[in-house]
């Protein structure tokens, strides 16, 4: 049987390999292992395709963001009128000239600020009353409404009511107030530098008038209270003097103390006379006969003097005739005298207070001090187009993003 010979490379020929494979026992094939169940695998996603909802999203972005932004840019740079600002700063001062006591004690302050007056002024500048006064002086409706046809957003309507004018006033007049210091800074806007300065100047003038009115009211209140107190004290003093005069007229006594001294002198004299008569009576009884008529006369004089002394003493004991009842007279007179003295002291104090209040009213005054006079602008600062444009783009983008997220959230839940 012919065998294939190996070639020069040493590789076995096909015949030899076949014979060898026939002679070599073949190993038994292993039993196939049971196949494990494989986990399901999702098919790969296909290529993204443009769908109708994507077009709607792009269209909504154009309508919600691009179009409003372009509209705002067109209006700001073509229709919105330039506005100029006038700046001003002022505060309420209170000048107090020192009195003589203050100069001696060195306790006076030449000038002080009033934060309460500044609070009142801050509210007054924003009030309808001031807007009405400035409108009467400058015709605010004509001043702020002449560009309404071209710029209705930043202008005032020609037929605006006073309420609309007050609301617009909050936009064109900006106030900054520091309560601790009492300083007020104000910025007024208008379509020309001269008009902005005129508005600020008129605000300052009307504020000065209001502060002067407050000063006048404070002075009048101080004087009124002092006058009322003085009039009441004067009336009480008059009544007390009239009551004392009527009592003197009724009792016919000018000064009970002087009358009492006279009565005491009379008692002293009577007692001296009584002593002399008693001595004479004793001498007469020792030297005269028992039936001597001089003894009877001496006894009568002694009895008369004792009776007079008792009558005079009865005037000081009370309970007798009211016209000669000295304790009652003196007590009532002292009461009326004390009332008169009290009324005199009260009147003196009220008169002093009135003079002091009058002096204080004359030397105390509030006034409006401007530390920054109304300025005249050289270029327009408002409206702030770049800032407004950035805010429009930001707000519209945020609003569109929120609406898009809400849409996709609702779509994914279906």
């Amino acid at each position: 049987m012919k065998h294939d010979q190996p070639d020069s490379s040493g590789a076995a020929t096909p015949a030899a390999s076949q014979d060898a494979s026939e002679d070599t026992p073949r190993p038994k094939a292993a039993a196939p292992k049971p196949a494990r169940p494989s986990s399901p695998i999702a098919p790969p996603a296909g290529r993204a395709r443009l769908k109708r909802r994507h077009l709607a999203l792009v269209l909504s972005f154009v309508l919600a963001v691009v179009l409003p932004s372009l509209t705002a840019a067109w209006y700001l740079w073509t229709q919105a009128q330039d506005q100029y600002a006038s700046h001003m700063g002022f505060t309420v001062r209170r000048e107090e000239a020192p009195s003589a006591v203050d100069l001696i004690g060195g306790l006076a302050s030449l000038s002080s600020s009033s934060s309460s007056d500044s609070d009142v002024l801050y509210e007054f500048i924003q009030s309808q009353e001031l807007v009405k006064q400035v409108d009467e002086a400058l015709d605010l409706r004509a001043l702020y409404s002449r560009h309404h046809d071209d710029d209705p957003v930043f202008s005032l309507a020609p037929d605006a009511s006073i309420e609309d004018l007050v609301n617009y006033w909050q936009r064109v007049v900006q106030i900054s107030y520091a309560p601790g210091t009492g300083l007020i800074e104000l910025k007024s806007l208008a379509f020309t530098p001269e008009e902005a300065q005129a508005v600020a100047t008129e605000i300052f003038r009307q504020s000065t008038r209001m502060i002067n009115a407050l000063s006048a009211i404070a002075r009048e209140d101080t004087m009124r209270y002092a006058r009322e107190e003085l009039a009441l004290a004067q009336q009480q003093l008059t009544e007390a003097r009239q009551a004392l005069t009527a009592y003197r007229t009724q009792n016919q006594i000018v000064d009970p103390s002087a009358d009492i001294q006279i009565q005491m002198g009379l008692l002293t004299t009577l007692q001296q006379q009584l002593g002399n008569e008693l001595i004479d009576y004793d001498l007469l009884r020792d030297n005269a006969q028992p039936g001597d008529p001089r003894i009877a006369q001496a006894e009568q004089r002694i009895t008369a003097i004792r009776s007079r002394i008792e009558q005079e003493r009865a005037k000081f004991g009370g309970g007798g005739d009211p016209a000669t009842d000295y304790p009652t007279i003196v007590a009532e007179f002292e009461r009326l005298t004390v009332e008169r003295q009290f009324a005199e002291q009260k009147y003196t104090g009220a008169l002093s207070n009135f003079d002091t209040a009058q002096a204080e009213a004359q030397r105390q005054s509030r006034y409006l001090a401007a530390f920054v006079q109304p300025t005249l602008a050289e270029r327009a600062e408002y409206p702030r187009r770049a800032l407004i444009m950035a805010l429009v783009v930001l707000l519209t983008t945020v609003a569109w993003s929120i609406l898009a997220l809400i849409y996709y959230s609702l779509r994914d839940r279906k």
Side-chain angles (χ1 to χ4, degrees):
M1 184 175 203
K2 189 176 180 178
H3 298 280
D4 296 332
Q5 298 295 327
D7 57 6
S8 60
S9 62
T13 59
S17 299
Q18 184 178 1
D19 294 338
S21 61
E22 290 178 357
D23 294 339
T24 303
R26 297 179 179 178
K28 296 181 179 181
K33 295 182 179 180
R36 295 180 180 178
S38 59
S39 58
I41 300 176
R47 177 178 297 179
R49 291 176 299 174
L50 188 63
K51 295 184 179 181
R52 193 187 323 180
R53 65 173 179 273
H54 299 152
L55 296 176
L57 190 64
V58 173
L59 180 61
S60 65
F61 179 81
V62 172
L63 295 177
V65 178
V66 177
L67 187 59
S69 301
L70 293 177
T71 303
W74 169 80
Y75 187 88
L76 289 172
W77 271 273
T78 61
Q79 299 300 115
Q81 301 296 319
D82 291 339
Q83 293 183 356
Y84 299 83
S86 177
H87 299 265
M88 179 177 59
F90 51 86
T91 184
V92 181
R93 306 294 293 176
R94 177 183 297 169
E95 288 293 338
E96 297 182 358
S99 62
V101 177
D102 295 333
L103 290 176
I104 296 174
L107 300 178
S109 60
L110 294 179
S111 178
S112 63
S113 62
S114 176
S115 59
S116 60
D117 293 336
S118 298
D119 295 336
V120 173
L121 184 59
Y122 174 74
E123 297 297 333
F124 173 73
I125 294 175
Q126 305 176 79
S127 66
Q128 179 176 328
E129 180 181 358
L130 176 66
V131 175
K132 184 178 180 181
Q133 293 171 357
V134 177
D135 181 42
E136 293 175 354
L138 300 178
D139 193 3
L140 293 178
R141 290 180 174 84
L143 191 147
Y144 287 110
S145 64
R146 65 173 180 268
H147 298 293
H148 185 265
D149 295 337
D150 298 329
D151 183 13
V153 174
F154 297 100
S155 298
L156 178 69
D159 57 347
S161 62
I162 185 62
E163 289 78 13
D164 298 332
L165 186 58
V166 172
N167 293 333
Y168 187 80
W169 182 264
Q170 309 299 326
R171 296 169 51 187
V172 297
V173 176
Q174 303 173 11
I175 309 172
S176 176
Y177 174 50
T181 61
L183 302 179
I184 299 177
E185 295 182 0
L186 183 142
K187 177 169 58 179
S188 62
L189 305 180
F191 296 112
T192 64
E194 294 77 14
E195 291 174 351
Q197 187 181 40
V199 171
T201 303
E202 185 64 23
I203 292 174
F204 184 80
R205 191 179 71 85
Q206 295 296 338
S207 300
T208 302
R209 184 193 59 79
M210 191 272 293
I211 291 298
N212 292 338
L214 290 180
S215 300
I217 292 174
R219 287 195 296 267
E220 181 60 28
D221 288 342
T222 302
M223 294 300 300
R224 179 167 57 85
Y225 295 146
R227 282 195 297 267
E228 291 177 356
E229 182 182 6
L230 180 60
L232 180 61
Q234 186 174 6
Q235 181 181 359
Q236 292 180 352
L237 178 60
T238 301
E239 293 176 353
R241 287 177 174 177
Q242 290 176 353
L244 184 60
T245 301
Y247 188 77
R248 284 172 173 172
T249 303
Q250 180 181 358
N251 293 274
Q252 298 180 351
I253 297 177
V254 176
D255 188 358
S257 59
D259 195 75
I260 289 175
Q261 289 178 358
I262 294 173
Q263 293 296 326
M264 293 299 297
L266 178 60
L267 281 174
T268 301
T269 302
L270 291 174
Q271 288 176 351
Q272 290 176 355
Q273 291 179 0
L274 178 62
N276 293 331
E277 290 294 335
L278 289 175
I279 293 173
D280 294 340
Y281 178 73
D282 291 338
L283 292 175
L284 186 61
R285 287 183 60 184
D286 292 339
N287 298 322
Q289 298 295 326
D292 193 340
R294 292 180 299 175
I295 295 176
Q297 292 177 356
E299 291 178 349
Q300 291 178 354
R301 285 197 299 272
I302 291 172
T303 301
I305 292 173
R306 285 177 174 174
S307 175
R308 175 53 58 186
I309 291 174
E310 291 179 355
Q311 291 177 4
E312 295 299 328
R313 285 181 175 176
K315 296 179 180 180
F316 297 97
D321 186 5
T324 58
D325 188 1
Y326 282 103
T328 304
I329 292 175
V330 171
E332 184 65 17
F333 183 82
E334 289 179 349
R335 183 184 69 81
L336 295 175
T337 302
V338 169
E339 290 182 355
R340 186 198 64 181
Q341 293 176 352
F342 177 76
E344 289 176 350
Q345 293 176 358
K346 186 175 181 180
Y347 175 76
T348 303
L351 184 60
S352 176
N353 293 337
F354 179 78
D355 294 337
T356 303
Q358 189 174 13
E360 291 291 330
Q362 292 176 354
R363 65 188 179 90
Q364 285 187 4
S365 62
R366 299 179 180 89
Y367 68 94
L368 205 60
F371 57 88
V372 176
Q373 295 293 336
T375 60
L376 183 64
E378 295 183 355
R379 64 179 179 86
E381 298 182 78
Y382 297 87
R384 296 183 175 176
R385 295 177 172 86
L387 178 60
I388 296 175
M389 188 64 199
L391 291 176
V392 169
V393 173
L394 177 62
L395 294 177
T396 54
T397 303
V398 170
W400 174 82
S401 301
I402 293 175
L403 293 176
L405 291 175
I406 293 175
Y407 167 74
Y408 273 99
S409 176
L410 295 176
R411 180 179 176 276
D412 293 342
R413 295 185 62 179
K414 293 182 179 180

